[in-house]
Amino acid sequence: MIKVGETLILEPKFAQHEEKYKCMVVEYDEGCVFIDYPVNIETGKISFLMDGTQLKVTYTDSENAVYIFESEVLGRLKANIPMVQLSCPTTDGFLKIQRRHFVRIGTVMDAAVHPENREFTPFTTLTEDISAGGAALVVPKNTQIDLASKVYIWLVLPFKSGEIHYLRLKSEVIRLSEEKDGRMMLSVQFVDNTESDTQTLFRFIFEKQLERKKKELAQ
């Protein structure tokens, strides 16, 4: 799945503050991958990750597909260049997300909807499903929202590590429909997302997919 020379983005799973590192694949072997010393994207400085550090790893292939997998720092290796050894899962441990077709996952979590220009009263609600590109949310009856309206969606994303991320996402209304059970559903597309917000959504969806895959295997 991973080729020598590809760039990986590393995110520690249990860091107190959000950190991201960039590195390059130097060697690849069954069950592990060797990288050059990672560089902190924000500071530009080389970072030394402790053995045992749990990571979320993402990379983009030549077809612009994003792959995400979980990893762990296994150690260091002195060769022609200093390298860090990371664990690498089997093919089943990789999740592929096409940027053009964001994976949508059904999940219920807290959200709030605010109009950009006070067209309606802000309300709190629950999501029906979510992707890195948009979401479907339950709408209180008698709420008037026009198609193509600009709104802000506030989301609360709880992670297994105990982290809670609060996102404020500028969005455009693409559909307002009534379900068979009588509920009104609002579908929105996120616009002008920051790369950080998109990566946080990817991480959240990846975690949910992994949880479901583990449950299915356990049955």
Side-chain angles (χ1 to χ4, degrees):
M1 297 278 299
I2 298 178
K3 298 178 182 178
V4 172
E6 288 190 302
T7 298
L8 306 182
I9 303 298
L10 314 179
E11 295 180 70
K13 291 173 62 177
F14 304 112
Q16 292 183 341
H17 306 287
E18 185 175 330
E19 298 174 339
K20 292 183 181 180
Y21 307 97
K22 181 183 289 188
C23 61
M24 186 178 71
V25 177
V26 180
E27 292 184 20
Y28 180 78
D29 200 356
E30 186 175 354
C32 66
V33 62
F34 296 90
I35 60 171
D36 60 1
Y37 274 37
V39 174
N40 187 300
I41 291 177
E42 185 175 348
T43 65
K45 295 181 179 179
I46 292 177
S47 299
F48 300 91
L49 300 175
M50 299 286 291
D51 291 1
T53 300
Q54 302 290 310
L55 301 168
K56 296 279 189 182
V57 183
T58 62
Y59 71 96
T60 305
D61 69 9
S62 58
E63 297 180 355
N64 205 34
V66 178
Y67 291 88
I68 307 177
F69 64 93
E70 292 186 327
S71 183
E72 178 183 345
V73 178
L74 299 178
R76 293 170 179 77
L77 181 67
K78 291 184 179 179
N80 294 332
I81 61 171
M83 295 186 291
V84 178
Q85 184 182 14
L86 305 180
S87 65
C88 191
T90 61
T91 303
D92 291 342
F94 288 80
L95 285 180
K96 180 181 179 182
I97 300 176
Q98 295 284 356
R99 286 188 180 273
R100 294 180 182 177
H101 306 285
F102 292 114
V103 173
R104 186 173 293 271
I105 188 166
T107 185
V108 177
M109 58 187 182
D110 293 327
V113 182
H114 290 245
E116 185 177 48
N117 298 308
R118 300 185 179 181
E119 300 94 336
F120 58 87
T121 302
F123 58 88
T124 57
T125 185
L126 297 172
T127 61
E128 178 80 0
D129 59 50
I130 187 171
S131 75
L137 310 100
V138 180
V139 180
K141 288 190 175 181
N142 302 320
T143 301
Q144 298 296 320
I145 304 178
D146 294 330
L147 292 179
S149 294
K150 296 294 192 299
V151 297
Y152 288 96
I153 306 297
W154 292 78
L155 295 176
V156 182
L157 306 183
F159 287 83
K160 286 175 62 178
S161 63
E163 298 174 75
I164 298 178
H165 285 259
Y166 299 89
L167 300 186
R168 177 178 181 266
L169 303 168
K170 187 174 182 179
S171 309
E172 182 175 338
V173 176
I174 57 176
R175 185 166 58 254
L176 186 62
S177 58
E178 184 174 356
E179 300 293 294
K180 292 181 180 179
D181 59 9
R183 293 182 305 162
M184 295 299 296
M185 299 299 301
L186 175 70
S187 296
V188 300
Q189 179 179 346
F190 303 143
V191 295
D192 300 328
N193 272 10
T194 65
E195 186 63 26
S196 176
D197 286 344
T198 300
Q199 288 295 334
T200 299
L201 287 164
F202 276 142
R203 279 184 57 206
F204 180 77
I205 292 164
F206 169 72
E207 227 177 57
K208 290 295 183 185
Q209 287 180 300
L210 204 60
E211 283 178 16
R212 293 185 181 183
K213 183 178 288 187
K214 288 178 179 178
K215 287 180 181 178
E216 289 172 2
L217 293 174
Q219 291 178 353

